Amino acid sequence: MSQRKPIKKAVFPVAGLGTRFLPATKAVPKELLPIVDRPLIQYAVDEAREAGIEQIIFVTGRGKTAIEDYFDLAFELEATMDQRGKDMGVLDPTRATPGDIMSVRQQVPLGLGHAIWCARSIVGDEPFAIFLPDELMIGAPGCMKQMVDAYEEVGGNLISVLEIPEEEVSSYGVIAPGKEVSDTLTEVTGLVEKPPVAQAPSNKIISGRYILQPEVMRVLEDQEKGAGGEIQLTDAMAKMIGTQPFHAVTFAGNRYDCGNKTGFVEATLALALEREDMGAEVRAIAERLLAQ
Ligand code: G1P
């Protein structure tokens, strides 16, 4: 069981322009927009750390250096807070072991597959995780921890999946499910990126978390453009099926698609309602607003 190479590295593609959230994202990266009081990227990094991941690799782009600054020391802020006797604990989640936060640039947005390929030199010859921070996964344990547990059992490649209404599948990567290993683990026999509804092999979509073997980088090297004229990670993964184990983990928890505005508002509301320090107050506000 534990002979599997552990998952210590995770790639976070964060080069996107966030056009759906303009003008908010004109000067602030989408990944730093807060859900209550934590930026979206913080939730994904916390989920990674909980799963035992130590090295965080951002695939970033121009105008997005604020993400790296966020995980750096904020000298003036900390000195001032210290002087004023403020609780510095709030900054703990932003701290990283020196050298464990890395970034590479994707110069041109050629697609998710291309973004992942940009991290190949840092990933090297190890299995690695991928987090799409737009997908906010809230669970106990978190989604990646659930996947790492499954990885210890079956090895190979894993993706997290969830069922959605059939008419929405064309916005996502969709799996063709094979044999069920357990209630939450299924073999994957095929993958299609953004298929027309009529051609979708199921209503189970890839929900933004992956554990992949390093061979995917070799496949990505020659990967041609796919759906939307982009180099798709899904197409490269599809080529690995049959050469290596490939499984889907059905995430037990709540998922919020923060890549769109309503999903973002839903996540904000859901997480605020769960908070001990403000849940009751937010519930009262929501009830009052709904009664208007
Ligand atoms: C990407 C992936 C897709 C996946 C989705 C999850 O698509 O290509 O397979 O289902 O993320 O959010 P994008 O949202 O970048 O178009």
Side-chain angles (χ1 to χ4, degrees):
M1 264 203 172
S2 49
Q3 308 113 327
R4 315 250 180 243
K5 271 197 188 173
I7 312 297
K8 292 289 169 199
K9 295 179 179 173
V11 179
F12 294 70
V14 294
L17 294 176
T19 48
R20 276 191 250 178
F21 285 86
L22 281 170
T25 47
K26 187 179 171 197
V28 178
K30 172 179 71 170
E31 295 77 8
L32 291 183
L33 297 180
I35 303 284
V36 188
D37 52 9
R38 290 182 161 223
L40 206 42
I41 191 72
Q42 182 75 64
Y43 292 92
V45 167
D46 288 351
E47 186 190 325
R49 287 174 170 158
E50 182 207 15
I53 286 162
E54 290 166 3
Q55 277 114 40
I56 305 292
I57 307 161
F58 294 125
V59 179
T60 181
R62 289 182 294 284
K64 303 201 79 171
T65 48
I67 298 175
E68 291 145 271
D69 292 342
Y70 173 81
F71 288 101
D72 198 352
L73 187 83
F75 184 77
E76 287 185 334
L77 171 70
E78 296 195 24
T80 310
M81 283 175 75
D82 198 27
Q83 247 172 25
R84 295 184 186 167
K86 299 259 188 217
D87 172 19
M88 310 282 270
V90 288
L91 294 173
D92 284 350
T94 69
R95 302 194 193 283
T97 308
D100 272 353
I101 301 260
M102 287 152 265
S103 66
V104 289
R105 289 262 182 135
Q106 184 192 29
Q107 288 84 355
V108 189
L110 296 178
L112 178 59
H114 180 261
I116 300 305
W117 181 74
C118 289
R120 68 198 176 284
S121 303
I122 307 183
V123 166
D125 199 22
E126 286 175 44
F128 64 105
I130 300 172
F131 289 76
L132 309 189
D134 270 3
E135 297 277 354
L136 177 55
M137 310 294 260
I138 303 291
C143 183
M144 187 51 69
K145 176 75 175 88
Q146 293 179 25
M147 291 175 72
V148 165
D149 290 346
Y151 169 77
E152 275 164 15
E153 217 178 293
V154 293
N157 303 274
L158 291 116
I159 47 182
S160 69
V161 295
L162 48 91
E163 288 189 47
I164 60 162
E166 212 177 286
E167 60 276 14
E168 291 168 25
V169 294
S170 304
S171 304
Y172 299 97
V174 182
I175 71 157
K179 210 174 74 206
E180 275 186 23
V181 180
S182 70
D183 283 356
T184 53
L185 195 61
T186 311
E187 269 180 16
V188 176
T189 59
L191 288 165
V192 202
E193 183 67 15
K194 305 194 171 77
V197 174
Q199 283 160 34
S202 74
N203 66 339
K204 288 190 173 176
I205 60 140
I206 307 173
S207 62
R209 300 291 183 274
Y210 311 71
I211 290 177
L212 297 178
Q213 296 299 317
E215 287 77 19
V216 73
M217 295 297 191
R218 310 294 98 72
V219 182
L220 281 169
E221 220 149 276
D222 304 316
Q223 187 58 51
E224 280 165 16
K225 289 179 180 169
E230 298 191 338
I231 298 173
Q232 295 291 354
L233 179 62
T234 304
D235 297 343
M237 294 191 301
K239 288 189 191 148
M240 311 245 294
I241 297 171
T243 70
Q244 294 186 346
F246 220 113
H247 290 88
V249 176
T250 305
F251 170 55
N254 294 323
R255 167 255 187 179
Y256 305 96
D257 184 355
C258 293
N260 70 67
K261 287 178 235 188
T262 45
F264 198 93
V265 172
E266 181 191 3
T268 305
L269 198 50
L271 269 61
L273 284 167
E274 274 169 22
R275 290 260 300 235
E276 264 179 36
D277 59 343
M278 64 172 83
E281 209 178 325
V282 173
R283 182 171 304 277
I285 292 168
E287 281 166 0
R288 192 186 69 227
L289 290 173
L290 287 170
Q292 276 173 9

